[in-house]
């Protein structure tokens, strides 16, 4: 089943000078795929993520999510999709530095329809999934960069979304921490069935995915299955 379906999509920013960013993109992503969208800085890959994640609109073409056209979603439905169907992980972590791991992961639940009596079990579950149960009561400012990113992943998982968007999730990390984060994302895909859309400029990072869409100057340069995928190590999932 096509979860994302993009046809002839373009994006132009309008200001004092018109700036074309995306040009005539055509691709689809099936439910349960792990896809890396790869390209250099300024190639348009983050703009594409924002469109796919209902964070920005496009200029022309067609975009369907879950077989429904973008334009057919009401404003409330769009907010619901972002909150329930999608989780977001960004390069800058976007954590509350003076709050604990537990409280950072809890934050999206405060804006959800999930009953408060169910919060504690959910929070503990996703913190365990990312391997940070021993850090649950730590203030996030005391954590390493890799641990902070795993807290961000746990927070993205808390509403049990179908899709995880990861925008340069290893960009601020050393190579060892970056590898742990990528293994975490790969396991979410393999063992929990999440659709993962990864934005990266790094070949090493992209090769953890099953497929790489390479964007250059706002156009799709190639769209290939990864022949030698970098596999995650032994699972810590229970």
């Amino acid at each position: 089943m096509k979860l994302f379906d993009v046809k002839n999509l373009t994006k132009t920013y309008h200001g004092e000078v018109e700036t074309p960013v995306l040009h005539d993109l055509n691709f689809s992503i099936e439910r349960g795929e792990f896809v890396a969208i790869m390209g250099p800085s300024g190639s348009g890959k983050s703009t594409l993520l924002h469109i796919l994640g209902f964070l920005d609109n496009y200029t022309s073409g067609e975009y369907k999510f879950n077989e429904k056209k973008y334009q057919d979603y009401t404003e409330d439905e769009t907010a619901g999709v972002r909150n329930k169907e999608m989780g977001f992980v960004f390069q800058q972590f976007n954590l509350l530095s003076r709050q604990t791991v537990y409280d950072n992961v809890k934050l999206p639940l405060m804006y959800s329809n999930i009953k408060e009596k169910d919060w504690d079990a959910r929070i503990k579950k996703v913190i365990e999934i990312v391997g940070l149960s021993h850090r649950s009561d730590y203030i996030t400012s005391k954590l390493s960069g890799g641990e902070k990113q795993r807290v961000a992943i746990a927070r993205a998982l808390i509403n049990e979304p179908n899709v995880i968007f990861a925008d340069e999730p290893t960009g601020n990390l050393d190579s060892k921490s970056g590898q742990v984060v990528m293994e975490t994302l790969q396991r979410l895909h393999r063992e929990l069935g999440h659709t993962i859309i990864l934005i990266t400029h790094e070949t090493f990072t992209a090769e953890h995915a099953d497929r790489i869409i390479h964007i250059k100057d706002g156009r799709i340069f190639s769209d290939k299955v990864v022949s030698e995928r970098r596999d995650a190590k032994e699972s810590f999932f229970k």
Side-chain angles (χ1 to χ4, degrees):
M1 173 183 173
K2 291 181 181 179
L3 189 58
F4 298 92
D5 194 17
V6 170
K7 294 180 180 178
N8 304 317
L9 186 141
T10 69
K11 174 67 176 180
T12 299
Y13 288 109
H14 298 279
E16 292 184 5
V17 178
E18 286 195 350
T19 306
V21 180
L22 299 175
H23 309 271
D24 197 32
L25 301 187
N26 290 275
F27 65 91
S28 61
I29 296 174
E30 301 282 334
R31 185 179 296 275
E33 279 196 89
F34 187 169
V35 179
I37 298 175
M38 180 183 168
S41 178
S43 61
K45 58 188 185 297
S46 290
T47 298
L48 178 57
L49 178 146
H50 290 162
I51 293 170
L52 296 179
F54 284 30
L55 299 172
D56 196 3
N57 205 341
Y58 52 94
T59 303
S60 65
E62 181 179 273
Y63 167 38
K64 290 182 181 179
F65 175 73
N66 212 9
E67 300 187 338
K68 182 175 179 178
K69 290 183 180 180
Y70 178 94
Q71 292 89 344
D72 291 341
Y73 285 91
T74 67
E75 188 173 337
D76 286 344
E77 287 174 334
T78 297
V81 167
R82 284 197 303 265
N83 188 45
K84 297 176 183 178
E85 298 274 349
M86 300 173 174
F88 297 88
V89 179
F90 296 103
Q91 181 176 348
Q92 301 296 333
F93 315 137
N94 296 331
L95 301 176
L96 301 176
S97 62
R98 297 183 180 180
Q99 298 297 316
T100 64
V101 168
Y102 185 98
D103 286 337
N104 269 278
V105 173
K106 179 178 73 174
L107 188 61
L109 293 175
M110 300 172 69
Y111 304 95
S112 74
N113 295 323
I114 298 167
K115 295 179 180 178
E116 190 169 351
K117 67 181 180 66
D118 298 325
W119 288 7
D120 184 64
R122 278 193 178 228
I123 295 165
K124 289 177 178 176
K125 176 183 176 182
V126 297
I127 291 175
E128 181 182 5
I129 283 173
V130 300
L132 288 176
S133 295
H134 62 301
R135 295 282 193 261
S136 182
D137 295 326
Y138 274 52
I139 300 298
T140 54
S141 62
K142 306 289 186 182
L143 301 178
S144 69
E147 288 172 332
K148 288 177 182 177
Q149 193 59 287
R150 283 191 279 157
V151 175
I153 292 171
R155 184 182 57 192
L157 290 172
I158 194 66
N159 285 330
E160 299 181 350
N162 290 317
V163 184
I164 299 292
F165 289 102
D167 191 359
E168 299 281 7
T170 63
N172 285 333
L173 306 179
D174 59 59
S175 58
K176 183 177 179 180
S177 297
Q179 175 69 8
V180 172
V181 167
M182 290 313 304
E183 289 170 358
T184 302
L185 290 173
Q186 196 175 62
R187 290 164 182 159
L188 293 177
H189 166 246
R190 284 187 169 181
E191 301 182 28
L192 298 183
H194 289 281
T195 305
I196 309 287
I197 298 180
L198 167 71
I199 302 297
T200 183
H201 66 279
E202 301 169 328
T203 301
F204 176 88
T205 302
E207 287 175 349
H208 284 81
D210 296 322
R211 172 184 167 200
I212 299 175
I213 298 174
H214 194 163
I215 291 184
K216 185 177 181 180
D217 298 327
R219 302 180 188 275
I220 293 179
F221 182 72
S222 65
D223 184 349
K224 298 180 179 179
V225 173
V226 177
S227 57
E228 295 185 11
R229 184 179 55 212
R230 297 184 184 273
D231 289 338
K233 297 177 182 178
E234 183 179 352
S235 174
F236 50 59
F237 285 178
K238 304 297 183 183

